[in-house]
Amino acid sequence: MLRDRYMERARELAERGRYSVAPNPLVGAVVVRDGEVVGEGWHVRAGRDHAETIALQKAGAAARDATMYVTLEPCNYRSNSSGESCTEAIPRSGIRKVVVGHLDPNPKMNGRSIGMLKEAGLEVELLNSPEFERQNEQWFWTQRVGRPFVHLKLAATLDGRIATANGDSKWVTGEEARRKAHLLRAEAGAVLVGVNTVIADDPLLIPRDLPQEPSRVTRVVLDPQLRTPIESHLVQTAGEAAVLIFTNATTDKDRRRKLEASGVEIIATPNSAGRLDLSFILDELGRKGISGVLIEGGGETARGFVRGGLVNKLTIFYAPKLLGSEGIPMIGSLSLEKMADAPRFSVSNVERFGEDVAITLYPSKIKEGYVHRVG
Ligand SMILES: NC(=O)c1ccc[n+]([C@@H]2O[C@H](COP(=O)([O-])OP(=O)(O)OC[C@H]3O[C@@H](n4cnc5c(N)ncnc54)[C@H](OP(=O)(O)O)[C@@H]3O)[C@@H](O)[C@H]2O)c1
Ligand SMILES: [Zn+2]
């Protein structure tokens, strides 16, 4: 069917924004007139023109009486460089019909834009097919729940160790797997680690060596006692990409001032028995407009999110190595006595990266009672 072919093309175009568009959704649009594609566009980056506007600009006068195929419901707020919304720009261009892949779960849209296009006299065909929701799993989750989509990523040996007992972890996996990890950072738009990882590895956590300019990434550290070193790469680059530290409300004021003077944002966090409240942290990140967060470990941090039932997606890169029981475990203690109580996942994808194998999984159950696995 021709409609499916054009929708598939729009989906492919949207895919081009996967590593640059966070915290916004991936969107692709195709304009077709008399069986000929006259304009194409995709959303590249938050703050830039939307896919529809770009496709209309390419089509120019050929948009008159044409059909637009777009993966996600168009927006109804000022979005393009001339201060128009897509629901204004589309009718003005002369487009007669719009085929929409899925409603946008953003409460400002969610059917309203479709109504506006109809009111402007356009024919609208709404498909609501799961493939368009699946393409934007991060966006759909964050719009419905108000928190970022949590993707836990770990690199482990075959026996589930992420570092030697003295903390050496460079490197568990090979270059190809590490390159993929940079893509996952760019896709999420935020990266979170525990303070031990900052101390042991001194990571930058900024996506590098990507074929296109990646999304701007926010770096987040769980650090109840403010042990993050001022001289760490993270703190020293706080002016380049935001750094947020979630800490205990009662931490040392002097250290706090020093970190803040380096450009780090410190957020006092409710806690019990020294454990920071991860739900509060996710709410706070959601309030800051962050749509996805890649949890990069270490094992203690991973434990907290798994135990809390807060993980939306899990990717483990297994290196064909063994470290033995003294190595640092991939997940800290879950205090389980019965196999039946183990958190369960279903495998979505298995992929090889050089010598390493990546397994991508979705949890069978998460806290909100809403499993984001479509189709
Ligand atoms: N292979 C990999 O994928 C990978 C990835 C990352 C790290 N690593 C390695 O893993 C090691 C570090 O792992 P780790 O398990 O020791 O530590 P970690 O998870 O990096 O950091 C743990 C610390 O972060 C704070 N923290 C984390 N979650 C918290 C929560 N819910 N509430 C309060 N505080 C929280 C605590 O700080 P306080 O102690 O101050 O209370 C805790 O001790 C390093 O050697 C690193 O090289 C490997
Ligand atoms: Zn728009």
Side-chain angles (χ1 to χ4, degrees):
M1 197 177 176
L2 271 178
R3 182 197 73 193
D4 297 344
R5 208 173 80 207
Y6 295 130
M7 283 310 293
E8 177 52 24
R9 177 67 185 152
R11 205 192 60 75
E12 276 167 23
L13 291 164
E15 210 45 44
R16 297 186 185 179
R18 180 160 301 276
Y19 305 115
S20 59
V21 82
N24 278 7
L26 285 74
V27 187
V30 179
V31 177
V32 179
R33 181 166 143 168
D34 299 331
E36 193 194 336
V37 174
V38 291
E40 292 186 333
W42 69 94
H43 190 30
V44 178
R45 186 171 298 280
R48 298 255 187 94
D49 273 353
H50 288 185
E52 301 91 315
T53 303
I54 296 167
L56 290 175
Q57 274 163 0
K58 297 244 173 76
R64 185 143 303 279
D65 295 332
T67 299
M68 174 182 277
Y69 297 83
V70 60
T71 55
L72 195 65
E73 181 180 8
C75 72
N76 55 43
Y77 57 87
R78 284 171 184 211
S79 61
N80 70 21
S81 20
S82 33
E84 254 180 341
S85 66
C86 288
T87 44
E88 286 165 342
I90 295 169
R92 192 177 53 74
S93 70
I95 290 275
R96 185 175 286 180
K97 177 175 175 182
V98 185
V99 181
V100 176
H102 208 289
L103 285 180
D104 185 338
N106 180 336
K108 283 190 231 146
M109 264 61 81
N110 214 359
R112 277 185 61 200
S113 297
I114 303 271
M116 288 172 175
L117 291 171
K118 284 185 179 160
E119 254 166 53
L122 276 74
E123 184 190 340
V124 181
E125 186 180 350
L126 173 63
L127 304 178
N128 265 348
S129 36
E131 70 207 82
F132 300 105
E133 182 176 356
R134 200 180 303 123
Q135 177 173 49
N136 265 311
E137 58 184 357
Q138 182 165 305
W139 176 256
F140 275 73
W141 171 264
T142 194
Q143 290 304 316
R144 285 174 177 157
V145 176
R147 284 179 176 183
F149 183 83
V150 176
H151 187 177
L152 171 60
K153 175 236 128 185
L154 293 165
T157 57
L158 294 174
D159 51 345
R161 307 287 145 172
I162 58 172
T164 62
N166 63 8
D168 182 44
S169 71
K170 286 200 171 96
W171 300 100
V172 179
T173 48
E175 212 172 290
E176 284 103 324
R178 300 208 306 276
R179 210 172 303 137
K180 174 67 179 176
H182 284 280
L183 293 174
L184 298 182
R185 287 176 180 171
E187 181 175 8
V191 181
L192 181 149
V193 293
V195 64
N196 285 358
T197 296
V198 177
I199 294 168
D201 301 351
D202 195 15
L204 252 182
L205 305 178
I206 292 178
R208 287 188 298 275
D209 306 328
L210 265 61
Q212 71 207 99
E213 200 195 326
S215 325
R216 282 190 150 270
V217 161
T218 300
R219 284 111 21 108
V220 184
V221 185
L222 303 191
D223 183 6
Q225 304 164 68
L226 277 192
R227 296 191 289 126
T228 300
I230 308 275
E231 62 283 2
S232 60
H233 281 128
L234 271 189
V235 175
Q236 292 304 315
T237 56
E240 251 171 74
V243 177
L244 306 179
I245 296 183
F246 286 94
T247 193
N248 209 312
T250 57
T251 39
D252 182 338
K253 289 213 170 55
D254 187 43
R255 270 197 70 70
R256 196 187 160 124
R257 260 195 299 275
K258 282 197 185 123
L259 286 164
E260 281 172 342
S262 309
V264 171
E265 186 181 345
I266 313 258
I267 302 172
T269 313
N271 66 92
S272 64
R275 309 315 301 164
L276 301 176
D277 181 339
L278 300 181
S279 291
F280 169 89
I281 290 172
L282 291 176
D283 284 340
E284 195 61 27
L285 296 177
R287 271 193 289 276
K288 287 182 175 293
I290 289 174
S291 64
V293 59
L294 185 73
I295 314 281
E296 291 210 32
E300 255 316 286
T301 302
R303 183 195 75 86
F305 284 92
V306 170
R307 227 181 154 195
L310 299 169
V311 173
N312 293 91
K313 186 175 183 175
L314 172 63
T315 300
I316 306 181
F317 292 89
Y318 281 108
K321 301 175 184 170
L322 295 168
L323 267 179
S325 63
E326 66 276 30
I328 296 181
M330 177 163 84
I331 308 270
S333 164
L334 293 176
S335 309
L336 295 169
E337 285 172 11
K338 292 197 191 108
M339 186 58 88
D341 296 336
R344 282 193 68 95
F345 297 85
S346 56
V347 176
S348 147
N349 194 29
V350 179
E351 219 178 329
R352 266 188 86 142
F353 291 91
E355 285 296 293
D356 307 315
V357 177
I359 308 187
T360 303
L361 312 104
Y362 289 87
S364 310
K365 200 163 76 192
I366 54 179
K367 206 174 184 178
E368 278 74 13
Y370 168 72
V371 178
H372 198 95
R373 178 126 193 248
V374 192

